[in-house]
Amino acid sequence: MYRPQNLRIPGPTFVPQAVLSASARPLINHRGPEFAALLAGMTRALQDFLRTRGDVFLLTASGSGAMEAAVANTLSSGDKVVVFVNGAFGERFHQILRAYGVDARRVEVPWGRAVDPDVVRDDLARERGKDGSKAVFVTHNETSTGVLNPLKEIAAVVRESGKLLVVDSVSGAGAVDLDVDDWGIDVLVTAAQKAWGAPPGVSMITMSERAWKAFDRSNLPKAYFNLQTYKAQLEKGATPATPAVTVYIALQESLRLMAEEGLDSIVKRHRDLAFATRRGLQALNLAIFADEAFASPTCTAFRMPTRLDSRNLIRVLREEHDTIIAGGQGRLEGQIARVGHMGFVTIQDMLSFFSALELTLRGFNQPVEQGVAISAALRAYAEATQPPARTPVASRR
Ligand code: PMP
């Protein structure tokens, strides 16, 4: 019997039927007027969501492709840069930089902790007067640990230094507070299959004026990802190569649904759902991996009870409850599990997750009083979303 899965991984996320239906429309000419209108409308919508008047390009590539584009379009071989690494995706930025022959210095931050703006300030201050780094690379929402780095404050520090700021917001943008222009972010990347609730295949990248100046000086090889060709083609309503037309159409529909809800409500919904998720997990004595103050609104990583390997928990959730969550990456494999709550997600989705989790833990002989997590999550959500009733409701007889 077919039962829909409760897909609670931190991307690809649940895609609403309206978005799936949009992706089933007949193909259109990617060099024709319909596509030009679609591209112009989506670019404007993305500028609104990301709060930028600067350039936004849609790439036919996953988020890692956009990360690669960010590197190739701003730097030259041998350039010095700093990468703040507090998880697997900071490591990925570092790997890409190294692959391009960039002299990337890693600043390690313990996994589960946030990148402290004071650490960034001190680090950049130490470079002063020397042949310092040109750019700072940082992950906004570290999906591998469930940590949201304080990007606004980090950006303020980087702006003081005059260096370029390149941000991986693959799993943050579209769900969390973000203002590309006001915060002074030069390049930011995100991807359709995360908070944008569309199928994978398209990523987005912003370019500030400063980033274009860096582009002019940059000598790293760029062909498919040459953003100047994207800019020239965008003016003609097209893309340099054949775009994933179907995914673009789906993403257009997601953006429409998101605009209906409004960015402020979306951001609040993510914050409230993340809060409810943490309270539910804590009611089961499952420790949250991230510091509470920097816990991600889109993805929660939690530790396992002693002697339970997260791979087993994840397997039973999938096999017996059609509930799909993610495990730990790299050095955290087996130790943590990660539940996604980004995109088109509701409290009901999270309560369904908790019902599956409670039953699964009981199956592993964990002392779980059934209903505690559901009830804690629901209470937290109600607290966050509904003001307390002022007067007791009179009984009607
Ligand atoms: N950065 C972050 C923060 C991510 O969460 C991901 C995807 N999990 C990526 C980069 C890579 O994106 P993609 O898998 O779309 O290449």
Side-chain angles (χ1 to χ4, degrees):
M1 193 178 75
Y2 171 76
R3 286 172 297 180
Q5 291 180 329
N6 187 7
L7 188 63
R8 294 266 60 86
I9 55 173
T13 55
F14 166 77
V15 178
Q17 186 56 52
V19 177
L20 290 174
S21 300
S23 72
R25 282 185 211 146
L27 267 293
I28 54 173
N29 176 9
H30 67 293
R31 305 236 175 261
E34 295 97 333
F35 188 79
L38 176 124
L39 192 57
M42 287 173 80
T43 305
R44 268 196 306 276
L46 284 166
Q47 284 173 319
D48 287 347
F49 278 118
L50 300 171
R51 304 260 195 257
T52 179
R53 291 295 114 214
D55 286 308
V56 181
F57 303 110
L58 289 133
L59 311 177
T60 294
S62 80
S64 306
M67 290 166 81
E68 185 159 339
V71 171
N73 283 275
T74 53
L75 299 173
S76 296
S77 55
D79 269 356
K80 290 189 176 136
V81 305
V82 198
V83 197
F84 290 89
V85 178
N86 64 334
F89 293 104
E91 284 187 338
R92 181 167 306 183
F93 240 157
H94 184 253
Q95 277 163 5
I96 296 171
L97 286 156
R98 294 295 300 274
Y100 272 83
V102 174
D103 182 358
R105 180 167 61 81
R106 265 171 88 135
V107 178
E108 301 288 344
V109 173
W111 290 29
R113 304 270 279 279
V115 176
D116 181 342
D118 289 337
V119 167
V120 178
R121 180 180 290 109
D122 291 349
D123 185 88
L124 299 182
R126 249 174 272 131
E127 283 192 335
R128 214 168 286 145
K130 290 189 220 154
D131 174 20
S133 51
K134 284 197 174 159
V136 174
F137 284 72
V138 67
T139 315
H140 187 188
N141 187 73
E142 189 37 92
T143 327
S144 64
T145 58
V147 168
L148 182 75
N149 284 316
L151 183 59
K152 184 179 183 178
E153 291 74 17
I154 293 170
V157 171
V158 178
R159 283 281 56 83
E160 285 165 24
S161 76
K163 298 178 199 301
L164 208 68
L165 175 60
V166 183
V167 176
D168 166 359
S169 191
V170 167
S171 63
V176 308
D177 206 18
L178 173 65
D179 193 322
V180 166
D181 286 358
D182 189 54
W183 297 1
I185 296 161
D186 295 305
V187 184
L188 179 131
V189 304
T190 181
Q193 81 277 16
K194 300 286 184 178
W196 309 95
V202 168
S203 51
M204 296 78 106
I205 183 165
T206 69
M207 285 286 281
S208 72
E209 294 276 340
R210 268 186 309 269
W212 281 119
K213 291 210 178 83
F215 174 96
D216 291 337
R217 292 188 298 268
S218 139
N219 74 6
L220 288 182
K222 35 193 156 306
Y224 183 76
F225 286 132
N226 186 331
L227 293 180
Q228 201 164 50
T229 67
Y230 279 81
K231 192 170 169 67
Q233 286 296 322
L234 182 59
E235 278 155 23
K236 299 182 199 156
T239 52
T242 312
V245 177
T246 300
V247 184
Y248 278 58
I249 295 174
L251 180 59
Q252 179 195 37
E253 183 62 17
S254 298
L255 292 169
R256 197 187 62 71
L257 295 176
M258 287 173 70
E260 251 174 44
E261 182 178 357
L263 186 56
D264 291 345
S265 309
I266 293 173
V267 169
K268 177 163 173 20
R269 175 168 55 79
H270 281 87
R271 206 187 299 130
D272 295 344
L273 287 173
F275 174 66
T277 303
R278 292 196 298 280
R279 293 300 167 267
L281 291 166
Q282 284 163 337
L284 293 167
N285 292 320
L286 297 172
I288 307 302
F289 190 68
D291 288 346
E292 174 80 18
F294 299 101
S296 164
T298 63
C299 165
T300 299
F302 56 98
R303 293 182 192 274
M304 289 298 104
T306 7
R307 289 189 293 278
L308 178 54
D309 185 305
S310 67
R311 284 166 285 207
N312 291 331
L313 178 89
I314 291 164
R315 180 178 48 76
V316 175
L317 278 169
R318 181 186 68 241
E319 288 176 357
E320 295 181 15
H321 304 286
D322 296 300
T323 296
I324 318 296
I325 66 169
Q329 286 165 300
R331 63 181 88 160
L332 292 173
E333 203 173 333
Q335 294 178 37
I336 61 166
R338 295 173 302 135
V339 57
H341 30 80
M342 71 178 88
F344 296 98
V345 51
T346 64
I347 184 66
Q348 286 74 29
D349 297 323
M350 299 319 295
L351 296 179
S352 157
F353 158 70
F354 277 118
S355 69
L357 183 62
E358 287 188 5
L359 288 169
T360 303
L361 286 172
R362 192 188 172 91
F364 282 109
N365 292 322
Q366 298 295 318
V368 171
E369 192 195 320
Q370 299 299 294
V372 282
I374 296 174
S375 146
L378 189 56
R379 228 177 307 121
Y381 186 76
E383 207 180 283
T385 55
Q386 294 163 4
R390 261 171 306 184
T391 46
V393 181
S395 62
R396 290 189 198 173
R397 264 188 289 172

